[in-house]
Amino acid sequence: MASTDKPAAHPDKTEVESQPPNQSPCINLILIDLPLRALLFASTVVAIVLITTSNETEIAVVPLTPPKSGPRTAKFSHSPALIYFLVAVCVACLYSILSIVASFSFISKPAPPKTLLLVLAFFDALFVGIVSSALGAAAAVAYIGYKGNSHVGWIKICNVYDKFCRHIAGYLAMALLASIILVFLTLLSTYSLYRRSH
């Protein structure tokens, strides 16, 4: 007589099927990391183009005694703060290229090495400081150019060099975007390292 009892379900098989496949905790974070690094590269390139093309020549009156007028050129190279800004953004642009290569290499690996994650977290934090300090220095010069300072006799120039000041505003905005991206990358790199270590 044939048995009518149903065969017992294999407990191990159902448990295995109900669990999601084992994935690296960093795989999903790469889908955020790589576009952010590409956006960092784009913002730094735009900032470099804007600052290097910001020259403008206008007929301006120099407030001397007696006043002199003539063609005068406004250049970023006339200000040490803007030169520092350009150097900082160029270094950040180079770093963004190297970090894109490093981030792209994560895709082909099941789990990124902890050492590389630590290096990225360190350099992301370092470049937050570098780009932010350069942004602060350039913004201070831009504010003087826009408003002047009557207490020390510094005149505003944006009413004369409007193209130059528009370029300044553009590359300050791009540097601010780059700083924000670097903050997010620092948080993402640190969190990736935390998940990798647990």
Side-chain angles (χ1 to χ4, degrees), residues 50-88:
L50 285 173
I51 194 170
T52 53
T53 60
S54 61
N55 298 347
E56 183 179 7
T57 302
E58 295 289 342
I59 303 296
V61 177
V62 182
L64 299 173
T65 307
K68 294 182 179 179
S69 64
R72 300 187 60 86
T73 302
K75 297 180 180 179
F76 77 91
S77 57
H78 292 162
S79 169
L82 297 182
I83 294 172
Y84 168 59
F85 176 86
L86 177 62
V87 171

Side-chain angles (χ1 to χ4, degrees), residues 12-68:
D12 295 337
K13 187 177 180 182
T14 55
E15 287 178 7
V16 170
E17 287 177 354
S18 63
Q19 292 177 352
N22 187 18
Q23 292 181 350
S24 170
C26 297
I27 290 296
N28 293 335
L29 296 176
I30 293 171
L31 301 177
I32 303 170
D33 184 78
L34 194 56
L36 280 178
R37 294 190 187 279
L39 189 57
L40 174 64
F41 171 73
S43 63
T44 53
V45 166
V46 171
I48 291 168
V49 170
L50 285 173
I51 194 170
T52 53
T53 60
S54 61
N55 298 347
E56 183 179 7
T57 302
E58 295 289 342
I59 303 296
V61 177
V62 182
L64 299 173
T65 307
K68 294 182 179 179

Side-chain angles (χ1 to χ4, degrees), residues 50 53-60 72-75 142 145-147 156-172:
L50 285 173
T53 60
S54 61
N55 298 347
E56 183 179 7
T57 302
E58 295 289 342
I59 303 296
R72 300 187 60 86
T73 302
K75 297 180 180 179
Y146 181 67
K147 290 284 189 180
K156 59 183 179 179
I157 64 165
C158 285
N159 55 339
V160 178
Y161 299 102
D162 56 340
K163 176 199 164 191
F164 179 71
C165 289
R166 283 197 308 271
H167 278 244
I168 288 179
Y171 58 72
L172 288 179

